[in-house]
């Protein structure tokens, strides 16, 4: 997430020079050491996140702040870009220090599965922070965004005015934003596509070829749509939302690149655990796909629906129950779509 957060901070820093926004952009940085220096000190002197987004300068008005409450103090626009596992504790830490009229946008791709079933990350923020939260999801690989290569993305917002405000803050000629009101679907797409990408990575490790990967993408998309229709609080889930960047575009991009696909491919070839590969390959960043597959599996078990989602289930079983990677192919062969 640190690379994506830095890429987005780069955009916000450039756009914040508008009279509508405060010119200083505070970016909370977990203050780890890089060599013999603190990362926040390096960012504030060299204007570059040398660990997570090397080679791309940050605007001078982006200031790294090592204390979360200091970064959030008095803010009325907050952008959340952290691994989803940490969101509850981070929100608890920020309570009471942001503006009473604060609005947020989440770029966090994950869900939370508790005793009560599915909880969206944006719902956790809404509940703990007492603010409206939009979501931004799309085919936005961080280093390509930082390199200002053209891409699209989607903002989902329950209050359209807030979605349009964040569009103004974040849009550039090469980062084009569509705002939709189907916010839950936008968010679920961002979480569920990482499970499918793990499946695509397993197939890459097995050298199955692009035809097989295309099947993974298609069947994965169908399971994403089915899951969203079952569990979204929005009774009117729109198929059109899956055709936005947050849906099919992000799914395709993630299944052909990105860390979930890459680590899953290495898992297929190496015999090492997901946890070991995460440490070896991700430079301190977190993997979302396997964790999300576990949360989705928990929800499906609660509802007795495991058999209805064979691709999601196969990814979970391979990651956490010791099933052989070849189960991915068996899942495709026997998928209900083919009966």
């Amino acid at each position: 997430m640190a690379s994506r957060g830095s890429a987005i901070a780069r955009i916000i820093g450039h756009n914040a020079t508008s009279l509508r926004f405060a010119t200083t952009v505070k970016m909370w940085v977990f203050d780890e050491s890089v060599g013999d220096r603190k990362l926040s000190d390096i960012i504030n002197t060299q204007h570059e996140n040398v660990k997570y987004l090397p080679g791309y300068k940050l605007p001078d008005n982006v200031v790294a702040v090592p204390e979360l409450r200091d970064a959030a103090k008095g803010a009325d626009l907050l952008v959340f870009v952290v691994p989803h596992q940490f969101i509850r504790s981070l929100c608890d830490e920020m309570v009471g220090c942001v503006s009473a009229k604060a609005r947020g946008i989440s770029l966090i791709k994950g869900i939370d599965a508790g005793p009560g079933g599915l909880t969206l990350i944006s719902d956790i923020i809404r509940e703990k922070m007492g603010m409206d939260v939009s979501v931004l999801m799309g085919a936005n690989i961080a280093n390509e965004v930082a390199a200002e290569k053209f891409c699209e993305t989607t903002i989902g917002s329950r209050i359209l005015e807030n979605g349009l405000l964040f569009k103004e803050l974040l849009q550039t000629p090469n980062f084009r934003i569509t705002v939709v009101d189907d916010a839950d679907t936008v968010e679920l797409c961002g979480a569920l596509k990482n499970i499918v990408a793990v499946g695509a990575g397993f197939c890459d490790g097995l050298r199955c070829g692009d035809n097989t990967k295309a099947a993974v993408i298609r069947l994965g998309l169908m399971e994403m749509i089915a899951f969203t229709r079952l569990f979204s609080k929005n009774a009117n889930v729109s198929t059109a939302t899956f055709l936005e960047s947050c849906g099919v575009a992000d799914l395709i991009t993630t299944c052909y690149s990105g860390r979930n696909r890459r680590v899953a491919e290495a898992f297929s070839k190496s015999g090492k655990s997901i946890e070991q590969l995460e440490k070896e390959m991700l430079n301190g960043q977190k993997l979302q796909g396997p964790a999300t597959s576990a949360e989705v599996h928990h929800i499906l078990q609660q509802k007795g629906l495991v058999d209805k989602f064979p691709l999601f289930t196969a990814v979970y079983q391979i990651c956490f129950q010791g099933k052989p990677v070849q189960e991915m192919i068996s899942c495709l062969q026997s998928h209900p779509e083919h009966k």
Side-chain angles (χ1 to χ4, degrees), residues 44-291:
N44 289 334
T45 54
Q46 296 177 210
H47 304 291
E48 181 183 346
N49 188 335
V50 294
K51 179 165 185 181
Y52 296 111
L53 195 68
Y56 298 101
K57 289 294 183 180
L58 294 166
D60 291 355
N61 62 329
V62 174
V63 178
V65 180
E67 294 296 331
L68 180 60
R69 287 184 65 87
D70 291 342
K73 187 175 181 180
D76 48 22
L77 293 178
L78 290 98
V79 181
F80 295 85
V81 199
V82 295
H84 75 277
Q85 300 94 321
F86 304 135
I87 192 61
R88 290 182 184 275
S89 60
L90 294 176
C91 284
D92 287 340
E93 194 173 340
M94 283 188 287
V95 166
C97 71
V98 302
S99 164
K101 60 180 181 180
R103 287 161 282 189
I105 189 165
S106 171
L107 282 65
I108 300 170
K109 298 187 175 183
I111 58 173
D112 186 79
L118 182 146
T119 303
L120 297 174
I121 300 303
S122 62
D123 283 335
I124 295 172
I125 301 170
R126 287 184 191 100
E127 177 188 336
K128 288 185 170 290
M129 303 290 292
M131 66 171 71
D132 180 65
V133 182
S134 300
V135 295
L136 183 149
M137 306 285 159
N140 311 140
I141 295 171
N143 62 344
E144 293 184 15
V145 173
E148 300 180 27
K149 295 180 179 180
F150 180 85
C151 65
E152 301 174 314
T153 198
T154 312
I155 288 178
S157 191
R158 296 181 182 178
I159 299 175
L160 188 61
E161 176 189 352
N162 292 342
L164 293 172
L165 175 62
F166 279 109
K167 176 177 179 175
E168 184 180 345
L169 178 66
L170 292 164
Q171 182 162 266
T172 75
N174 285 317
F175 191 72
R176 306 308 292 178
I177 298 171
T178 300
V179 181
V180 301
D181 61 3
D182 193 4
D184 289 1
T185 300
V186 173
E187 185 166 1
L188 282 167
C189 281
L192 299 173
K193 59 94 185 182
N194 282 330
I195 304 175
V196 185
V198 173
F202 290 154
C203 291
D204 284 344
L206 295 170
R207 298 184 177 178
C208 294
D210 285 339
N211 292 338
T212 305
K213 189 184 286 192
V216 170
I217 292 171
R218 188 185 79 83
L219 295 170
L221 179 61
M222 294 191 72
E223 292 193 16
M224 288 168 60
I225 294 170
F227 186 93
T228 301
R229 286 182 170 157
L230 281 169
F231 293 102
S232 174
K233 297 181 183 70
N234 181 2
N236 300 307
V237 171
S238 172
T239 303
T241 306
F242 293 94
L243 300 179
E244 297 288 350
S245 182
C246 63
V248 67
D250 197 9
L251 177 61
I252 292 168
T253 298
T254 310
C255 286
Y256 277 90
S257 61
R259 66 182 73 125
N260 288 283
R261 188 218 62 80
R262 189 160 49 92
V263 172
E265 180 182 18
F267 177 89
S268 294
K269 293 178 175 178
S270 69
K272 296 178 180 179
S273 70
I274 292 287
E275 294 78 8
Q276 186 177 353
L277 290 167
E278 183 183 65
K279 291 175 183 175
E280 290 178 4
M281 298 176 65
L282 297 187
N283 193 31
Q285 298 192 88
K286 292 294 181 183
L287 201 63
Q288 299 301 309

